[in-house]
Amino acid sequence: MQDKFKVLIIDDESLARDLVRSYLSDIQGIEILGECENGFDALKTIQELKPDLLFLDIQMPKIDGFELLEVLDEKPEIIFTTAFDQYAIKAFERNAVDYLLKPFSKDRLLQALDKAKNRIMAKTGHVSKASALDKLQQQVDDDKKTLERVVTRLGSKITVIPVEKIRYLEAADDYVMIHSELGNHLKEKTMRFFEEHLPAGQFIRIHRSFIVNIIEIKSLELYTKDSYIAVLKNGEKLKVSAEGYRRLKEKF
């Protein structure tokens, strides 16, 4: 049996962190590694200290709790702490992920903690946890209407890319390369996800490999008898399929 469960508290509100810490303070077998007030610090701390369990707030500035999950390679056991309304809570309940609805009591925290401990100790718990988190993340993605930003990670560096700074997106095997004013960044999402969630009036799928921000298009040039290329303001040239050309003609 594991001697101590290593815990990290992540919440932008100091009073909320203090409450979780006070609830955990007299519980044997718990080692509080520290506290983080934002996702940037949390990523670095998780990579360095490898906690067993996170108490993770959803609503935080810079990046929220779900965006932090997106950039974690290995996810510890997670107890979400949230002020979401009951409608949003259904997403957690359908995916069997532990959550604490603020304000919560110590007894309610202990119930979630016991479940997390059992999952950590059980070999099969890691499989079920990953599956539940993956399903939750998929549902969160599906529920999103329009993206306002995209969060990417390279090593311990997180980059938040506002959608208006994106020039175009390019299919890259199981990833998407985001070309933007902030540089080029890989994201483990599908082109279909971005096609469905980027602002429809601003981005167009011009080819199976490219989604372009229409304000970045300088001109369209005939490439062969039946195909075109889009010339961007920065000089880059992107292939345009027949369907992509039809979409551009409808737009302009």
Side-chain angles (χ1 to χ4, degrees):
M1 181 179 293
Q2 189 165 338
D3 292 333
K4 284 193 175 183
F5 298 94
K6 298 182 291 183
V7 173
L8 184 65
I9 303 168
I10 307 168
D11 198 306
D12 63 306
E13 298 179 356
S14 60
L15 290 178
R17 297 195 305 272
D18 291 344
L19 181 66
V20 174
R21 180 179 281 274
S22 68
Y23 284 168
L24 296 175
S25 61
D26 60 350
I27 300 175
Q28 292 186 347
I30 294 294
E31 178 186 357
I32 300 176
L33 298 178
E35 303 174 7
C36 299
E37 62 180 18
N38 62 69
F40 289 84
D41 293 340
L43 173 63
K44 184 177 180 181
T45 304
I46 292 167
Q47 289 177 324
E48 291 177 352
L49 301 183
K50 303 189 183 307
D52 302 305
L53 173 64
L54 307 180
F55 282 88
L56 176 61
D57 185 25
I58 298 297
Q59 295 160 306
M60 296 186 293
K62 299 184 178 179
I63 66 170
D64 64 32
F66 291 128
E67 289 170 330
L68 174 62
L69 283 187
E70 286 185 33
V71 297
L72 290 180
D73 289 328
E74 295 185 14
K75 299 175 177 63
E77 196 63 52
I78 296 169
I79 297 174
F80 292 96
T81 59
T82 177
F84 276 12
D85 61 25
Q86 289 297 330
Y87 176 79
I89 288 301
K90 291 178 182 178
F92 292 90
E93 293 172 338
R94 283 196 292 266
N95 293 292
V97 174
D98 291 321
Y99 68 94
L100 298 173
L101 184 61
K102 296 178 179 178
F104 50 85
S105 66
K106 182 174 182 178
D107 285 343
R108 179 65 187 89
L109 178 142
L110 292 178
Q111 290 174 10
L113 182 62
D114 285 342
K115 185 185 290 187
K117 285 180 179 179
N118 290 335
R119 285 182 175 177
I120 293 169
M121 290 187 294
K123 292 180 180 179
T124 57
H126 293 283
V127 176
S128 61
K129 173 204 64 176
S131 176
L133 285 175
D134 289 344
K135 289 178 180 178
L136 175 62
Q137 189 69 59
Q138 182 62 54
Q139 188 168 337
V140 170
D141 285 348
D142 291 343
D143 289 344
K144 286 179 181 175
K145 291 181 173 58
T146 303
L147 288 172
E148 296 180 352
R149 62 188 186 182
V150 181
V151 176
T152 66
R153 176 182 71 86
L154 181 61
S156 60
K157 181 183 179 182
I158 293 176
T159 302
V160 179
I161 309 170
V163 295
E164 61 268 19
K165 293 187 180 294
I166 296 175
R167 294 191 176 104
Y168 67 95
L169 298 94
E170 180 180 7
D173 295 325
D174 295 330
Y175 293 80
V176 171
M177 178 67 78
I178 301 169
H179 299 259
S180 77
E181 296 176 23
L182 305 179
N184 300 337
H185 300 85
L186 278 175
K187 181 71 175 178
E188 193 175 3
K189 292 285 186 186
T190 64
M191 292 289 278
R192 181 177 179 180
F193 169 79
F194 284 111
E195 187 176 12
E196 292 176 348
H197 292 89
L198 285 169
Q202 187 177 353
F203 289 85
I204 291 182
R205 183 82 175 258
I206 61 170
H207 188 274
R208 59 189 174 87
S209 297
F210 299 111
I211 298 172
V212 67
N213 186 340
I214 59 175
I215 66 171
E216 295 293 329
I217 298 177
K218 180 180 178 182
S219 62
L220 284 176
E221 295 181 357
L222 192 63
Y223 182 59
T224 65
K225 181 181 178 181
D226 300 312
S227 65
Y228 289 80
I229 58 172
V231 181
L232 305 189
K233 291 177 181 178
N234 67 354
E236 291 188 76
K237 297 181 178 181
L238 309 179
K239 292 181 180 179
V240 179
S241 67
E243 176 64 18
Y245 182 67
R246 183 190 66 77
R247 291 172 180 168
L248 286 170
K249 281 186 67 176
E250 287 180 355
K251 185 68 180 177
F252 295 105

